[in-house]
Amino acid sequence: MRGVTEPVRVVDIRAFVCPMTWVRVKLGLEAIREGEILEVWMRGEEPLRNVPRSAKGEGHVVLLCEPAGEDHRLLIRKGS
Amino acid sequence: MLDDLRIERYARHILLREVGGVGQDRILSSKVEIRGLGEAGCWATTYLALAGVGRLRLCDPRPIPAGGLGPLLLAAAEGEPRDRAAAKAIGGLNLDVVVEVGGGAASAPGAWTADGRGESVRIRVAPSAPTSDPSATGAYFVATRDGRAVGGWEGGRVCEACLEAALGSAPSGPSAAALAGSTAASEVLAAILQEAPRPRGLRIHRLGEPLPVGPCPHGDAA
């Protein structure tokens, strides 16, 4: 069922640097409903370190963080 | 409303849990009237403009005194009407803010004591939707005099005796008006973000910590 097991929105932050990386992800999370999944594409050490931590800190669930070539793919389920 | 330019401009606000993109959108859509551009009013206006309040109505045609006022009205503009000079200055702070000058409520803005030593500011947030709830159009009130400041959400007419008592016991200092103005801006932004009635009553500002003044003993609304 779309929205429960699949991402309903994709945010690509590979061209951004801190703090715009988390700003873009946060806006992406605001645009979906609780329980839905956001897919994030990121590049470099900074977002890999900070974006999952910020997502958890705001009550979301990081479902997956996997390498994809030189990038990383992150799946976040929106919390309450 | 949050295009790439605005996301960049308000990134630090969007990061705040209390604001976010939804909150910043709400601030950009808000309308606020500021009556009284003394030092506290200038600080409040500056913070509200930088926050991105979409429409500001400024009411205070009194001339700018020698030396200017606060961060907004420079000494070089001495003698110009405060509201018109502030409108020009805001254009240099934030292009998102539309500024209107004059009009609004009929009462005279600014001075609240006959000797001219006291200043007042009333900041009113326009409700986002038509409402019959009078609390939705409440105003935040600040009074300053001789380096002391008090402020709070008005529930009705401010009792002069309570105001005198509160001002008399407020700590004095060169930054009291600036602190009162920044507190007023914070309160108004919180009201915009929460869309909820605010607690009523005058409060003394001491280093940003509001101290409530007790119920009015004079039989008047405070």
Side-chain angles (χ1 to χ4, degrees):
Chain A
M1 188 166 64
R2 189 172 168 82
V4 176
T5 58
E6 291 178 35
V8 296
R9 194 179 183 92
V10 179
V11 173
D12 186 345
I13 57 169
R14 286 176 289 190
F16 296 103
V17 295
C18 182
M20 296 309 293
T21 44
W22 174 240
V23 167
R24 293 280 172 170
V25 174
K26 186 168 180 175
L27 290 172
L29 285 163
E30 284 187 11
I32 65 176
R33 285 181 290 206
E34 187 181 334
E36 290 183 332
I37 295 171
L38 181 74
E39 179 178 315
V40 181
W41 285 89
M42 50 194 191
R43 179 171 293 171
E45 283 298 313
E46 179 278 317
L48 183 60
R49 196 170 52 245
N50 292 330
V51 171
R53 187 177 60 191
S54 298
K56 288 176 193 168
E58 294 214 353
H60 309 294
V61 180
V62 175
L63 300 173
L64 176 77
C65 183
E66 63 177 7
E70 61 178 310
D71 304 322
H72 274 81
R73 177 174 173 259
L74 185 66
L75 293 182
I76 305 172
R77 186 190 299 280
K78 181 172 178 174
S80 55
Chain B
M1 185 176 269
L2 281 180
D3 54 19
D4 284 350
L5 190 65
R6 288 190 173 113
I7 291 172
E8 187 99 23
R9 184 174 296 158
Y10 302 111
R12 299 289 175 179
H13 306 175
I14 294 167
L15 286 172
L16 295 172
R17 191 186 292 265
E18 297 84 354
V19 183
V22 173
Q24 188 60 51
D25 253 344
R26 193 172 287 166
I27 293 170
L28 284 163
S29 304
S30 65
K31 300 174 188 174
V32 173
E33 178 188 277
I34 302 171
R35 299 186 62 77
L37 292 171
E39 192 180 354
C42 284
W43 279 102
T45 303
T46 301
Y47 284 121
L48 291 170
L50 290 170
V53 167
R55 298 187 85 89
L56 281 175
R57 175 177 287 280
L58 308 177
C59 313
D60 193 341
R62 293 177 299 164
I64 297 172
L69 270 172
L72 202 57
L73 301 177
L74 303 179
E78 179 185 343
E80 286 184 34
R82 298 182 190 192
D83 45 15
R84 294 193 182 282
K88 275 191 276 184
I90 289 169
L93 289 178
N94 191 343
L95 292 172
D96 284 334
V97 183
V98 175
V99 187
E100 297 166 350
V101 171
S107 62
W112 63 275
T113 56
D115 60 13
R117 288 186 303 138
E119 286 277 343
S120 74
V121 191
R122 274 191 175 77
I123 307 176
R124 190 176 298 279
V125 181
S128 55
T131 176
S132 57
D133 176 7
S135 66
T137 56
Y140 192 87
F141 176 80
V142 175
T144 60
R145 190 181 62 199
D146 299 335
R148 301 173 192 270
V150 293
W153 288 94
E154 285 183 299
R157 196 172 74 79
V158 174
C159 169
E160 294 285 338
C162 281
L163 191 55
E164 287 294 342
L167 269 170
S169 60
S172 64
S175 58
L179 184 59
S182 61
T183 303
S186 298
E187 286 281 332
V188 167
L189 289 170
I192 291 168
L193 291 169
Q194 294 164 14
E195 289 194 322
R198 309 296 297 169
R200 295 286 168 71
L202 293 178
R203 286 177 293 174
I204 302 169
H205 301 304
R206 178 180 292 162
L207 299 176
E209 294 179 14
L211 304 176
V213 174
C216 173
H218 309 101
D220 208 343

